[in-house]
Amino acid sequence: MSLLELDLRVLAYGLSDKKLLLSLTFAVTTEYFHRDAQTLWDLVSRCFLKYKKIPSERVLEQVSGGSWETISQAYQEVCGVTKVSDCRDFPVDLEQLKLRYNKQVLLRLGQAVFKDNFNGRDFADVETANKALRETVGNIERIHKGESYREGS
């Protein structure tokens, strides 16, 4: 398993700065991350919301139950990012993570509406296409809701 560079940086921000982790917790959900980083993010965010501190490796291991062996490799990759270059880059990296997820949402819409529901001439079920479109619009609005990080917060 090798985490994507963007996921590594974003997770490293969160594990190095409490304010950034707080911003990240409210700005993204597990689905924003590459699948190899999702379990680690889920664990980090749950621990942070419960204990209100950046979780240590020991806490993560304890809370993970029997799944730490799987998660620990991703954690070690994030810890291998010696230091995120500049916390001022966090908003840019967060925006890139959101845009990447936005593209995934749009690709799923295309598949749901056109690949699975369109025969080249007509929709098999217009209501299903409309439902997929409404859900996608809601997802995109949630991705871009308000500023998740404000300078000085």
Side-chain angles (χ1 to χ4, degrees):
M1 168 178 49
S2 179
L3 299 182
L4 298 176
E5 185 178 332
L6 178 60
D7 298 80
L8 280 171
R9 278 196 318 268
V10 170
L11 287 167
Y13 286 122
L15 288 173
S16 66
D17 185 286
K18 184 177 179 179
K19 288 180 184 179
L20 297 181
L21 184 54
L22 180 64
S23 292
L24 199 53
T25 302
F26 289 107
V28 302
T29 61
T30 303
E31 295 80 25
Y32 285 59
F33 289 94
H34 183 271
R35 64 176 154 58
D36 291 340
Q38 288 179 352
T39 307
L40 176 59
W41 170 248
D42 183 55
L43 181 62
V44 167
S45 62
R46 280 188 296 124
C47 289
F48 180 68
L49 291 172
K50 182 174 183 176
Y51 301 114
K52 311 296 185 229
K53 303 277 185 204
I54 296 174
S56 67
E57 183 175 4
R58 185 186 65 79
V59 169
L60 292 171
E61 183 176 2
Q62 183 177 344
V63 173
S64 72
S67 62
W68 180 246
E69 277 189 41
T70 308
I71 300 169
S72 67
Q73 185 177 352
Y75 179 79
Q76 294 307 319
E77 281 189 62
V78 172
C79 290
V81 175
T82 51
K83 181 173 177 6
V84 283
S85 56
D86 191 336
C87 289
R88 294 176 295 182
D89 294 340
F90 174 73
V92 173
D93 288 335
L94 178 59
E95 184 64 22
Q96 287 178 351
L97 190 72
K98 287 180 172 187
L99 288 174
R100 185 181 75 191
Y101 180 63
N102 193 155
K103 290 176 185 178
Q104 292 171 354
V105 168
L106 290 171
L107 287 171
R108 283 196 302 261
L109 170 68
Q111 181 172 357
V113 172
F114 295 104
K115 183 178 181 206
D116 299 340
N117 193 27
F118 188 71
N119 65 13
R121 295 185 62 142
D122 200 3
F123 289 99
D125 183 357
V126 172
E127 198 51 44
T128 299
N130 287 336
K131 181 181 177 192
L133 184 59
R134 283 190 300 271
E135 289 173 358
T136 300
V137 168
N139 281 339
I140 291 171
E141 286 176 351
R142 283 187 293 280
I143 291 169
H144 298 289
K145 72 177 186 292
E147 299 247 339
S148 63
Y149 178 81
R150 289 182 175 74
E151 193 164 329
S153 61

